[in-house]
Amino acid sequence: MASKELRKRLPGSARRARIAGAALEVFAARGYHATAMEEIAIAAGVTRSVLYDHFPSKRVLLITVLQEQNALLVEHVGARITGSGSPGRRLRATLNAYFSFAEGNPAARRLLFDHTDEDDPEIKAVRWGIREARTRSVAVMLGRDLRRLGLDPETEAAQAVVELLITGTDGLAQWWARHPSVSRDQLVESAMLVLWNGLSRLPDDSPPPCDGPGLPGEDVR
Amino acid sequence: MASKELRKRLPGSARRARIAGAALEVFAARGYHATAMEEIAIAAGVTRSVLYDHFPSKRVLLITVLQEQNALLVEHVGARITGSGSPGRRLRATLNAYFSFAEGNPAARRLLFDHTDEDDPEIKAVRWGIREARTRSVAVMLGRDLRRLGLDPETEAAQAVVELLITGTDGLAQWWARHPSVSRDQLVESAMLVLWNGLSRLPDDSPPPCDGPGLPGEDVR
DNA sequence: CCGATAACCGACTCACATGTCGGTTGTAAG
DNA sequence: CTTACAACCGACATGTGAGTCGGTTATCGG
């Protein structure tokens, strides 16, 4: 679109890149199952069979794009969070980095985290790997903070906390895509309000420490 | 399985219910696109065409199940949270109710919130309706608390907070399905730790109020 | 200028899944 | 008992999309 290529014959690597770019957009927009190879081909400016000259199958094409984009995300976030600063500052910087990626690469965010497939076992495995890696790196990053909260990062309780953080943040990024008028700063502020301060900051409520441990009666089957 | 029906001919309503039950399981296990009507038919103990004697199409079958299960969830949660008690207690009770539903109805939770489709526009619309309703009711429930935090529930900032709560909780329930050894109480405790107390509860860190408002430099395209 | 390589295309095969239709039989009312 | 309805089934019609194959032509090194 931008480049005036007027449908010339391209060297393999360039065509490959174009196909991957087209696949990213179409997969993100329509989901894995609903996209026909035909659509990707059209978006890439070639016919369907050309896709098979460059990628062995639809599945491999998706997986390739998935891993490319994940690498970009990791690089993006990694590049702009520093190990220094107070814990609160670090959390804020990380949220900021993630949301800025989501802002600049909406298709990538959607493709990576809106899992519209999960059917194909191989794709499922790739997604799991990406997710696991992300959880692990976040847990490592928060290691000191979790310990100070009384949680061993190896514990399942700590993992649960991290999972809540990650999926909540993802969900917020998703919501943002539907409410674009909100600025990234406001978004970070809302996230910090919950994740950092918590909801207990009520002027006239009971003191911070959480209330009674149990719940009266809770019977499920 | 439990009932020894030995493949007899059933009255319409009973067969209908069986089909819906089978559809719930299979849709949840394999996702919408990947499930063939054949599988549902086998699980229901009939042949494929019988499904079409009771439901006009695959899409309508899914939507029916979706709405049934959502109604059950709303009833389940609504029945065991009371309007009374301190805000912290109410939040805890709600988390408990939601997680107990997820525990007792894993397929329903997965089907309702793991959106493995989103392709079909009509199904998308139904999902959106369910999601909207849920967000609204949570916002109403938290109305007073949000106001005390300085947020007008109508504000987008408040909606963002609610979205983070909901998706984070969903994600945690999802994680729980993969780590069944964790008890529901532990799960609720982890959720409360983040959502209620926040991560700032560090013995030797800066005081509760959040740190500097801005972030140094953050340039994204 | 001239092959050889590789990018590109059209047309085909094949598999699979949805939805339909006509017929068959259990079952319950009269 | 019998009759009529409704539950059930087998076979087909249709559409769609993934992956293959042989041929064509641009492009580039020599």
Side-chain angles (χ1 to χ4, degrees), chain A residues 69-148:
Chain A
Q69 295 301 315
N70 182 56
L72 286 176
L73 169 61
V74 169
E75 185 197 338
H76 179 100
V77 174
R80 62 199 71 202
I81 61 175
T82 67
S84 65
S86 73
R89 245 195 146 63
R90 295 215 319 275
L91 177 57
R92 175 176 256 113
T94 307
L95 290 172
N96 227 318
Y98 175 66
F99 289 138
S100 81
F101 179 84
E103 185 175 33
N105 310 76
R109 193 213 61 74
R110 184 162 153 71
L111 187 62
L112 282 172
F113 304 121
D114 276 9
H115 27 250
T116 62
D117 34 73
E118 300 273 331
D119 299 334
D120 187 302
E122 190 174 345
I123 296 172
K124 201 171 179 174
V126 171
R127 276 197 190 284
W128 256 81
I130 290 175
R131 184 190 192 92
E132 279 287 320
R134 200 163 73 118
T135 305
R136 241 194 311 279
S137 64
V138 170
V140 167
M141 204 181 75
L142 292 177
R144 261 189 341 172
D145 313 72
L146 290 172
R147 253 186 290 272
R148 287 188 187 175

Side-chain angles (χ1 to χ4, degrees), chain A residues 46-59:
Chain A
V46 289
T47 50
R48 235 183 53 252
S49 54
V50 173
L51 304 193
Y52 291 95
D53 288 334
H54 294 275
F55 298 90
S57 72
K58 183 184 181 184
R59 174 194 296 162

